[in-house]
Amino acid sequence: MRILEIETFGRGGLTHYAYNLSAALADRGHEVTLATHAAYELEEGDRPAPFPVLKVMGRWTHRAPSWLPRFALNLMRKVEAIYDGFALAATARRLRPDVVHVHCTNPVALLYLKLLRRRGRPLVATAHVVTPHERIPFQTAVYRRLHGTGELVIAHSRVDRQRLLDEFAVREERVTVIPHGDYGFFEGADAAPRAPAAARESLGLAPDDEVALFFGYVREYKGLDLLLDAWPAVAKARPKARLVVAGDPVRLPPARRAELEAAAERIGAILHFGYIPFSEVTTYFDAADALVMPYRHISQSGVLFLALSVGVPVIATQVGALPEMLDDGDSALLVPPESTAALADALVRALGDPGLRARLAAGGRRVAADHSWDSIAVRTEKAFATLLDPAETPLAAATAQPPRSR
């Protein structure tokens, strides 16, 4: 098949997802092209793409001068988004793909999908986010239109599939489940052992610190405030415990960002507010004894698959698809959402018990192994083949979940 994969950010989790899926599809003999943002970050690392990468979005604003007023930058981005939509449509006309597959969590994806529609060319959208994370007027209506456009919607879990059916009235035959893939590519082709001592030194940590990591974009639904509230109880029980917070608070209002910074400072957390480049990600995970995900709600998480893939134990809340794929006490410690007491107890248990951490790390690697990109590519090509020829492969074959590892 000729497949056009479209990812709009150029960096971060969706970019990593699109790269891995595109590479796996290309390895299976498909002719894959990835259209992405001008700020595409992977070409600067050691992850050469085994497929063409077209940087057709964000060409005006990704190098906008710092002195440009915010209102002017926002206006440029809105105009640029429209231009990018037409550029994507032109790219699709030139490449004549058999399938167009869009990865985007922004409402602007609705414009892209409308412009990319063409009779006889299936349009697929992966619902990495099923419902808006923030309550913004009219955004739910936009998501309803977003999920209703195209021939197929891919959900990452049975939970998300049911939400698409129940909350957005997507027809059952238009939704299939294809799980998220592992993120072992962060370890590199050589799979070098983790180097916690060097990583901790670079972050200002002591070799014997017990390190909990909060990582990724900082948004309200991710519950950083809950973790900061829970931390004093952790520090009281585990005096060597240290909290590292690393991620971009780009969606937070300035006042809220200042509140979280002050709270982190009060508990002595190491705080790195800002985007963490691809080349620096493994430093944080090498330094960590556990990843903490105190989320209020979630669809699926690339940060989770990163931790599972590199063997960092996970403490997470029982939200979204997480209980569907993780076993409490085997591949993660799962706690009720918004319970600071339960979160603190789980952190104390994990940080104080090396044997438990080793068991969780091993269980997490088994889960990651069940989500290899080759298996994800097989499910994806089956779903695409069904769209091209409904008699070719039953769509139900692409909806099965991988078995849980024990």
Side-chain angles (χ1 to χ4, degrees):
M1 284 179 274
R2 291 191 304 275
I3 303 169
L4 175 59
E5 297 280 341
I6 297 175
E7 183 282 314
T8 61
F9 289 99
R11 64 180 193 172
L14 280 187
T15 299
H16 306 156
Y17 184 98
Y19 170 92
N20 280 283
L21 177 60
S22 298
L25 288 169
D27 284 345
R28 294 188 60 79
H30 301 292
E31 186 180 327
V32 183
T33 301
L34 174 62
T36 186
H37 195 277
Y40 182 68
E41 69 175 350
L42 294 182
E43 69 178 3
E44 298 175 1
D46 57 352
R47 300 296 182 274
F51 48 82
V53 175
L54 305 179
K55 295 182 284 186
V56 298
M57 288 167 279
R59 288 174 288 186
W60 302 348
T61 58
H62 84 287
R63 296 189 185 278
S66 58
W67 50 260
L68 193 70
R70 175 170 293 185
F71 78 89
L73 181 60
N74 289 338
L75 178 61
M76 283 182 63
R77 285 174 174 159
K78 288 180 171 60
V79 175
E80 183 177 57
I82 297 172
Y83 177 85
D84 288 347
F86 284 99
L88 286 173
T91 299
R93 285 195 300 271
R94 177 171 58 84
L95 295 177
R96 301 177 64 188
D98 298 312
V99 178
V100 176
H101 185 193
V102 179
H103 307 266
C104 186
T105 59
N106 285 344
V108 72
L110 181 58
L111 170 65
Y112 298 161
L113 290 171
K114 294 294 186 182
L115 291 172
L116 287 163
R117 285 198 65 84
R118 181 179 177 183
R119 188 181 301 275
R121 180 175 62 207
L123 193 57
V124 180
T126 292
H128 294 279
V129 178
V130 174
T131 56
H133 290 310
E134 286 86 18
R135 295 182 177 180
I136 301 174
F138 307 114
Q139 198 167 35
T140 298
V142 171
Y143 271 67
R144 186 178 302 279
R145 296 288 299 276
L146 187 62
H147 299 320
T149 302
E151 284 68 37
L152 182 67
V153 181
I154 295 174
H156 284 317
S157 66
R158 293 189 298 271
V159 168
D160 281 349
R161 182 177 190 271
Q162 199 60 47
R163 291 170 67 195
L164 286 164
L165 300 180
D166 295 343
E167 299 176 32
F168 294 93
V170 181
R171 296 195 312 275
E172 188 169 358
E173 67 272 15
R174 289 189 55 251
V175 186
T176 188
V177 175
I178 300 178
H180 200 295
D182 74 89
Y183 273 168
F185 83 131
F186 273 94
E187 291 187 311
D190 298 332
R194 295 176 61 199
R200 290 182 176 204
E201 182 179 5
S202 70
L203 296 177
L205 295 161
D208 59 346
D209 282 341
E210 299 168 354
V211 182
L213 173 66
F214 178 99
F215 189 89
Y217 285 108
V218 181
R219 299 169 71 172
E220 286 295 341
Y221 78 91
K222 292 191 175 183
L224 175 58
D225 57 321
L226 301 172
L227 176 56
L228 297 176
D229 289 343
W231 193 258
V234 178
K236 182 177 180 180
R238 307 295 307 172
K240 290 186 178 295
R242 296 294 305 276
L243 176 62
V244 176
V245 177
D248 195 342
V250 63
R251 296 289 183 90
L252 293 181
R256 182 57 169 160
R257 171 174 175 160
E259 288 177 5
L260 293 174
E261 287 176 328
E265 184 178 356
R266 283 196 299 271
I267 65 170
I270 293 176
L271 182 65
H272 293 169
F273 263 181
Y275 182 75
I276 309 301
F278 179 85
S279 60
E280 299 176 16
V281 169
T282 54
T283 297
Y284 291 88
F285 284 81
D286 284 349
D289 289 305
L291 174 76
V292 194
M293 300 173 60
Y295 294 1
R296 292 181 164 93
H297 58 88
I298 189 66
S299 286
Q300 192 48 278
S301 170
V303 173
L304 168 66
F305 277 93
L306 171 52
L308 298 177
S309 299
V310 301
V312 175
V314 172
I315 300 168
T317 47
Q318 297 163 318
V319 294
L322 303 191
E324 186 177 309
M325 57 173 290
L326 300 173
D327 287 316
D328 184 30
D330 178 70
S331 49
L333 292 183
L334 300 178
V335 301
E338 304 210 46
S339 172
T340 56
L343 184 62
D345 287 346
L347 276 161
V348 170
R349 281 181 60 201
L351 294 178
D353 189 341
L356 173 60
R357 294 200 304 273
R359 184 168 73 248
L360 296 177
R365 283 192 181 272
R366 288 195 297 272
V367 172
D370 286 339
H371 291 74
S372 71
W373 281 105
D374 184 64
S375 69
I376 303 306
V378 169
R379 295 166 188 266
T380 302
E381 69 183 17
K382 285 180 178 179
F384 290 177
T386 303
L387 293 175
L388 296 173
D389 181 359
E392 178 74 19
T393 307
L395 188 57
T399 66
Q401 285 284 85
R404 283 193 179 192
S405 296
R406 295 286 184 178

